[in-house]
Amino acid sequence: MAEEKENIPKKTVAERQNDILVAALEKAEQNGGVLMNASSKTMPVLMDKQHMRVSPVNALMMAMHADLNEAKTNVYTQFSEAKSRGESVRSGMKGVPFTWKNNSEYVSKEN
C-alpha cells in the first residue's frame, strides 16, 4: 500500500516572509549581531530585468533569503527562465516570496 501524502496547506507570502525574517534574526544572534550580507554582496536584482525596480521590502526579503541559502550573489531569476536557459536549480530550493504592488493604485497625499 502506498503511503498517503500528508495534506499540508501552502503558506501565504506573509507567512513565508515571516519565516525568513525569524530565521535571519536567529542567524544574526549566532553571528555576533550581523543581520545579513556579511560577505558584502551587491543589492538584490532580477536577472535580465533591469527595467524592473525591486521594492525595498522585496530587496530585504531577497537579501535575507540569499544569505539563509548561502547564495554567492543576490541575483535572482524566475525558475521558468532558468529552465529555458538550461541552468540547474538546487534540488528542493524554494523561491523567495515576492510582494507585488501596482503603483497606479496609490495616490499622493497632496492629490
Side-chain angles (χ1 to χ4, degrees):
M1 187 164 102
E3 285 185 41
E4 191 174 312
K5 288 190 177 181
E6 191 176 336
N7 188 11
I8 301 172
K10 286 188 176 182
K11 289 186 175 185
T12 65
V13 168
E15 290 170 326
R16 290 189 56 221
Q17 288 177 336
N18 183 62
D19 291 347
I20 290 172
L21 180 57
V22 169
L25 291 170
E26 288 172 350
K27 186 175 179 180
E29 185 176 36
Q30 299 165 1
N31 195 23
V34 177
L35 177 61
M36 63 182 176
N37 205 10
S39 60
S40 301
K41 293 181 279 201
T42 61
M43 174 122 175
V45 294
L46 297 170
M47 178 185 261
D48 298 330
K49 306 274 188 217
Q50 288 80 9
H51 64 282
M52 289 182 65
R53 291 180 48 202
V54 177
S55 73
V57 170
N58 286 326
L60 180 62
M61 285 297 134
M62 291 166 76
M64 287 188 289
H65 181 265
D67 282 357
L68 291 170
N69 288 289
E70 300 178 359
K72 294 178 183 177
T73 71
N74 281 333
V75 178
Y76 277 79
T77 190
Q78 295 178 334
F79 285 117
S80 59
E81 291 177 2
K83 184 178 178 181
S84 70
R85 290 190 299 262
E87 298 170 347
S88 60
V89 177
R90 192 182 308 168
S91 177
M93 175 63 80
K94 291 187 190 264
V96 66
F98 220 74
T99 304
W100 295 98
K101 66 179 184 175
N102 182 351
N103 288 330
S104 65
E105 294 178 3
Y106 299 91
V107 178
S108 84
K109 62 183 179 183
E110 288 83 25
N111 187 353

